[in-house]
């Protein structure tokens, strides 16, 4: 028991690696168990957009959480590259949400009225002419836009890797294995069972298995339906200058990343655990 870590984390995506980073910084011993490799699923292939206003509706309790996350990102950017040796391309970038239908204009205007009072940054309304002046390449169907100056971006794979590298440098240990269940003692979780049958005990456990959490909740006897939502992204060599702002419209978005490519997304597909890029994804995003 003396060799047991304080905390076992299951899953090496951004959630598991961030947990490992903050726990090791606070002096806890950590073992992270990942069956594939760090950021080998959604965390390594996401868009990496940090937006405190996407999806925000009036009185949404997510806004304070988003603003706190934004502050943590700004703070991390000052030290995590040096702590990890990984430059993960964090940067602040203005975002412009676009509306193409009267209903979307109404929704955006409602969001604008609310954000004017609550957003701790610059938020501006742009009519059709000023949207096209800001970014002449947006399509003719765009009739309004909402600009916010406090968005940001990271390269998602490098960001997750940076969190893990810094945690590892501070003493965290990675086990490459699949967790298949848990053990219990006196009514509490006392260990996780690996595919080999080995049990790793710890003082506390963090399950950060992303869309596989449905399986993990079965181990705990909790009925919590969790299923994956597939999204695809295109990285394009696009002609012309980089986009000056990052753009979003309904559940789509586009931005020029530091790699010089135009990253565009996305699809929302209920197809189970299928991570294959498809012609459907390409054609949907291009249309
Ligand atoms: C196309 C796309 C674009 C996105 N864009 C954004 C964006 O702009 N901004 C944003 O904030 N979010 C975005 N997201 C969402 C974001 O990527 C996810 O919310 C995030 O990566 C989830 O991280 P996670 O650590 O929970 O899960 P994951 O990255 O799925 O990691 C879970 C890990 O657990 C491991 N695991 C699972 N079960 C076990 C087991 N039994 N034993 C051992 N290991 C196990 C898996 O192998 C995996 O590595 C996007 C997602 C997609 C698909």
């Amino acid at each position: 028991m003396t060799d047991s870590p304080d905390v076992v984390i299951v899953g090496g995506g951004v959630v598991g690696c961030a947990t490992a980073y903050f726990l090791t910084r606070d002096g806890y011993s950590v073992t992270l168990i990942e069956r594939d490799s760090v950021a080998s699923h959604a965390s390594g292939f996401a868009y990496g957009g940090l937006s405190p206003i996407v999806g925000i509706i009036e009185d949404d309790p997510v806004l304070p959480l988003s603003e706190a996350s934004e502050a943590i990102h700004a703070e991390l950017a000052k030290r995590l590259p040096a702590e990890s040796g990984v430059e993960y391309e964090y940067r602040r970038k203005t975002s412009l949400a676009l509306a193409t239908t009267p209903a979307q204009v109404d929704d955006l205007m409602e969001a604008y009225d609310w954000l004017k009072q609550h957003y701790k940054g610059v938020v501006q309304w742009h009519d059709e002419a000023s949207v096209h002046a800001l970014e002449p390449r947006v399509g003719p169907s765009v009739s309004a836009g909402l600009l916010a100056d406090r968005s940001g971006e990271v390269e998602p794979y490098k960001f997750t890797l940076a969190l893990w590298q810094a945690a590892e440098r501070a003493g965290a240990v990675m086990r490459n294995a699949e967790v298949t269940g848990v053990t219990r003692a006196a009514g509490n979780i006392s260990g996780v069972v690996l595919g080999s049958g080995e049990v790793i005990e710890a003082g506390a456990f963090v399950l950060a298995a992303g869309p596989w959490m449905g399986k993990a909740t079965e181990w705990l006897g909790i009925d919590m339906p969790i299923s994956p939502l597939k999204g695809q992204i295109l990285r394009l060599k696009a002609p012309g200058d980089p986009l000056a702002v990052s753009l979003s419209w309904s559940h789509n978005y586009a931005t020029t990343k530091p790699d010089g490519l135009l990253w565009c997304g996305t699809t929302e597909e209920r197809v189970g655990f299928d991570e294959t890029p498809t012609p459907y994804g390409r054609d949907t995003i291009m249309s």
Side-chain angles (χ1 to χ4, degrees):
M1 282 299 287
T2 47
D3 289 329
S4 298
D6 295 323
V7 184
V8 157
I9 299 168
V10 180
V14 69
V15 174
C17 293
T19 307
Y21 171 76
F22 286 107
L23 284 174
T24 50
R25 248 185 21 148
D26 286 350
Y28 293 95
S29 60
V30 169
T31 294
L32 185 146
I33 306 172
E34 166 56 52
R35 67 178 168 206
D36 296 326
S37 56
V38 165
S40 53
H41 296 282
S43 299
F45 297 90
Y47 182 64
L50 312 170
S51 173
I53 63 162
V54 165
I56 297 293
I57 49 164
E58 194 164 332
D59 292 333
D60 194 330
V62 170
L63 183 59
L65 185 62
S66 298
E67 289 182 334
S69 301
E70 184 205 4
I72 292 170
H73 267 289
E75 196 50 42
L76 276 180
K78 293 180 197 157
R79 58 166 194 267
L80 185 55
E83 288 173 341
S84 63
V86 180
E87 176 46 65
Y88 57 88
E89 298 165 12
Y90 168 84
R91 57 188 183 156
R92 298 286 292 267
K93 196 165 185 188
T94 299
S95 64
L96 184 63
L98 304 171
T100 56
T101 65
Q104 287 175 3
V105 172
D106 289 348
D107 287 349
L108 220 50
M109 181 58 88
E110 205 178 309
Y112 174 57
D113 286 339
W114 189 73
L115 287 165
K116 268 191 300 190
Q117 329 249 346
H118 298 93
Y119 186 60
K120 297 194 190 100
V122 174
V123 58
Q124 288 172 351
W125 183 258
H126 287 264
D127 63 15
E128 186 175 344
S130 70
V131 166
H132 286 89
L134 265 174
E135 180 45 73
R137 288 166 290 183
V138 300
S141 59
V142 173
S143 47
L146 180 60
L147 179 143
D149 73 335
R150 285 181 50 202
S151 300
E153 288 177 356
V154 295
E155 204 289 340
Y157 174 73
K158 291 179 184 170
F159 176 59
T160 309
L161 187 65
L163 290 164
W164 172 250
Q165 298 265 94
E168 194 172 44
R169 286 180 176 188
V173 172
M174 166 92 65
R175 290 287 304 268
N176 187 216
E178 176 164 18
V179 173
T180 56
V182 297
T183 57
R184 286 185 170 74
N188 293 321
I189 305 298
S190 55
V192 290
V193 184
L194 306 188
S196 62
E198 182 187 351
V199 174
I200 302 186
E201 297 183 320
F205 301 86
V206 177
L207 301 178
W212 293 275
M213 278 302 292
K215 192 76 199 157
T217 54
E218 279 176 27
W219 308 332
L220 306 179
I222 299 170
D223 182 20
M224 196 183 290
I226 297 171
S227 59
L229 179 64
K230 177 178 178 177
Q232 303 191 47
I233 283 187
L234 291 178
R235 300 180 186 184
L236 303 170
K237 279 187 187 162
D241 292 334
L243 290 178
V245 294
S246 57
L247 301 172
S248 64
W249 63 103
S250 39
H251 61 255
N252 301 300
Y253 37 71
T255 193
T256 309
K257 290 281 192 168
D259 61 10
L261 300 178
L262 183 66
W263 291 29
C264 315
T266 183
T267 57
E268 293 191 351
E269 303 168 62
R270 292 276 175 204
V271 291
F273 288 96
D274 170 13
E275 297 174 77
T276 324
T278 60
Y280 165 81
R282 178 198 59 206
D283 296 344
T284 306
I285 296 165
M286 290 298 283
S287 65

